[in-house]
């Protein structure tokens, strides 16, 4: 199998399909002259995309299963939501630590080992008879998430010629969007038909298939220069980086405070039957793909306006659900707007951080991944506390309020990098 340059990548672990060229320009600059990639190259890219799909689907799987998990393990909705909190906390630490700790190892072997760990974690989740066992399995999921995202982010430049790095990167991170459209709704549907354990077992089987594909299709990928942990805190001296991380923290925390408890809200506030939940999650996911590509087209040209549009629409859709989302038809429309708006979050904020940290892109990527996953965990945790202590619909007010703060922060900030800084 042919292989291209070993240059490291500057991509974020959460960058979806449609990522703008300036977010990874530093990566392709060191790649060899363009040539046509072979089908074998593209099969390797698809295998890496499948690994991204597997970790994202596994991380989000409890969203459609919280009610049944809580009932089965005798836990409240808020307590069961720890299954969403645990992986994010661990992934935030694992992303930079694993990047440094595995710096001398072949990336193919590391990626395969992490997907193997994901397989074991999914199967352990399916067998869990108590909440502590499930949470232990979810800790392993967090390790896999942090490592897979960090490694997958830099592989496009090593798998295809320079002229195809952009499309290959989009294919790899299309796994994020496909996980929302197919993975999470499919998991919810399996949970409805055969129970939540079957959903985790199915993900275990899929992860095993991805592991085989990685071993067979990826070429040897010798280690390259790793990110130094010392580079990461140094970036915090840059006001543009701090502002970007603040907006990321607010919008992602707000989103997941509400999104993690979306199923109970739909059932208790909107009167949505269990059989319709997976369909509505599918609507959300399809809208997310559309929003992803729309923001991917808008962010390179007008970053501030794109971020304001994304955060504004997200705020309105989340806050309107407890007010006007009592009918299934209305909540369907609001979920479509919500999905489209959140689909643009990752691409917009990744563009911000990639521009602000263009001199040390690998360190910027590690910092972005850590903040994003901390925010996922914090959102799920805060949402759980509100769901238990106040009302389930209260998570929508919390989430919408935090996203509104993100919109205000982006509006008043003078640190939005409308142009990429020169190295």
């Amino acid at each position: 199998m042919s292989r291209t340059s070993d240059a490291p990548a500057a991509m974020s672990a959460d960058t979806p399909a449609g990522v703008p060229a300036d977010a990874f320009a530093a990566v392709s600059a060191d790649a060899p002259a363009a040539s046509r990639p072979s089908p074998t190259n593209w099969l390797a890219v698809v295998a890496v995309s499948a690994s991204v799909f597997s970790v994202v689907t596994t991380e989000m799987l409890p969203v459609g299963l919280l009610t049944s998990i809580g009932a089965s393990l005798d836990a409240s909705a808020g307590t069961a939501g720890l299954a969403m909190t645990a992986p994010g906390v661990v992934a935030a630490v694992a992303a930079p630590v694993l990047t440094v700790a595995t710096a001398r190892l072949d990336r193919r072997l590391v990626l395969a080992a992490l997907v193997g760990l994901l397989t074991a974690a999914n199967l352990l989740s399916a067998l869990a008879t108590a909440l502590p066992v499930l949470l232990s399995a979810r800790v392993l999921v967090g390790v896999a998430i942090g490592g897979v995202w960090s490694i997958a982010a830099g592989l496009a430049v090593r798998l295809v010629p320079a002229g195809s790095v952009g499309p290959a990167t989009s294919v790899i991170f299309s796994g994020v969007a496909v996980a929302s459209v197919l993975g999470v709704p499919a998991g919810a549907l399996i949970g409805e038909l055969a129970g939540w354990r079957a959903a985790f077992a199915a993900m275990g089987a899929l992860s095993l298939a991805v592991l085989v594909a990685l071993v067979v299709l990826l070429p040897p990928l010798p280690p390259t220069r790793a990110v130094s942990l010392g580079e990461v805190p140094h970036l915090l001296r840059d006001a543009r980086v701090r502002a970007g991380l603040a907006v990321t923290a607010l919008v992602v925390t707000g989103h997941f405070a509400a999104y993690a408890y979306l199923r109970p809200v739909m059932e208790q506030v909107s009167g949505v039957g269990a059989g319709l939940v997976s369909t509505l999650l599918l609507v959300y996911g399809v809208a997310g793909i559309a929003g992803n590509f729309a923001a991917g087209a808008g962010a390179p040209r007008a970053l501030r306006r794109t971020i304001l549009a994304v955060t504004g629409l997200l705020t309105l859709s989340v806050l309107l659900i407890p007010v006007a989302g009592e009918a299934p038809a209305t909540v369907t429309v609001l979920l479509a707007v919500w999905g489209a708006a959140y689909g643009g979050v990752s691409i917009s904020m990744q563009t911000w951080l990639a521009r602000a940290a263009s001199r040390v892109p690998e360190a910027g990527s590690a910092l972005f991944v850590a903040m994003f996953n901390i925010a996922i965990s914090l959102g799920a945790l805060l949402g759980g506390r509100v769901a238990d202590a106040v009302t389930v619909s209260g998570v929508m007010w919390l989430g919408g309020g935090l996203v509104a703060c993100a919109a205000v922060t982006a509006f008043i900030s003078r640190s939005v990098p409308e142009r990429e800084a020169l190295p």
Side-chain angles (χ1 to χ4, degrees), residues 2-33:
S2 62
R3 179 166 54 85
T4 62
S5 168
D6 289 343
M11 287 300 300
S12 151
D14 195 45
T15 307
V19 63
D22 64 357
F24 52 83
V27 179
S28 57
D30 294 332

Side-chain angles (χ1 to χ4, degrees), residues 8-423:
M11 287 300 300
S12 151
D14 195 45
T15 307
V19 63
D22 64 357
F24 52 83
V27 179
S28 57
D30 294 332
S35 61
R36 184 172 305 219
S38 69
T40 306
N41 295 133
W42 285 116
L43 286 174
V45 169
V46 170
V48 176
S49 179
S51 71
V52 174
F53 170 85
S54 297
V55 294
V56 173
T57 300
T58 298
E59 182 176 22
M60 299 293 107
L61 200 58
V63 169
L65 304 171
L66 277 183
T67 302
S68 53
I69 289 174
S72 174
L73 301 181
D74 194 25
S76 67
T79 303
L82 292 173
M84 283 287 295
T85 302
V89 171
V90 176
V93 177
V97 170
L98 285 176
T99 299
V100 174
T102 64
R104 299 181 183 276
L105 301 178
D106 187 295
R107 312 322 279 166
R108 177 180 65 170
L109 296 179
V110 176
L111 188 60
L114 289 167
V115 174
L117 180 64
L118 184 70
T119 301
N122 275 311
L123 296 178
L124 180 59
S125 297
L127 297 173
T129 57
L131 187 61
V133 178
L134 177 63
L135 294 181
S136 297
R138 299 294 288 174
V139 166
L140 299 180
V141 169
V143 174
I145 291 167
V148 168
W149 279 1
S150 297
I151 293 173
L155 289 186
V157 72
R158 304 185 64 181
L159 295 174
V160 298
S164 299
V165 168
T169 301
S170 293
V171 170
I172 286 175
F173 287 99
S174 68
V176 177
V178 176
S180 297
V181 174
L182 296 179
V184 176
L189 180 60
I190 293 172
E192 291 164 9
L193 297 176
W196 66 270
R197 298 180 191 280
F200 281 105
M203 274 310 304
L206 178 61
S207 300
L208 181 59
V210 172
L211 170 59
V212 173
L214 291 172
V215 172
V216 172
L217 297 173
L218 286 186
L221 297 168
T224 60
R225 187 186 74 84
V227 177
S228 168
L229 286 179
E231 292 177 310
V232 177
H234 180 75
L235 277 176
L236 295 176
R237 299 178 183 177
D238 191 320
R240 299 174 307 160
V241 172
R242 294 196 303 269
L245 291 175
V247 174
T248 299
L250 287 168
V251 70
V252 176
T253 299
H255 166 77
F256 278 96
Y259 183 66
Y261 300 91
L262 185 55
R263 176 167 182 160
V265 169
M266 285 192 291
E267 292 175 345
Q268 298 178 30
V269 177
S270 303
V272 174
L276 189 57
V277 171
S278 57
T279 301
L280 292 181
L281 289 175
L282 179 62
V283 170
Y284 169 92
V286 171
I289 290 182
N292 170 56
F293 281 100
R301 297 191 299 268
L303 181 58
R304 181 189 295 272
R305 285 202 299 268
T306 301
I307 291 174
L308 291 177
V310 163
T311 53
L313 288 173
L314 188 57
T315 299
L316 289 175
S317 58
V318 173
L319 290 179
L320 283 176
I321 284 183
V323 175
E326 295 183 355
T330 305
V331 80
T332 300
V333 174
L334 292 174
L335 277 178
V337 176
W338 184 349
Y342 186 72
V345 167
S346 296
I347 196 71
S348 301
M349 298 316 303
Q350 168 59 20
T351 301
W352 185 330
L353 268 296
R355 289 176 175 177
S358 59
R359 291 178 176 82
V360 279
E362 295 87 358
S365 177
L367 197 57
F368 179 77
V369 173
M371 179 58 73
F372 206 99
N373 281 281
I374 288 172
I376 289 174
S377 300
L378 182 60
L381 180 62
L382 292 177
R385 302 287 72 79
V386 170
D388 285 349
V390 188
T391 62
V392 170
S393 61
V395 300
M396 295 294 160
W397 296 109
L398 171 65
L402 289 172
V403 177
C405 290
V408 172
T409 302
F411 180 75
I412 65 176
S413 176
R414 298 181 179 179
S415 301
V416 180
E418 290 291 354
R419 296 289 182 269
E420 184 175 15
L422 295 175

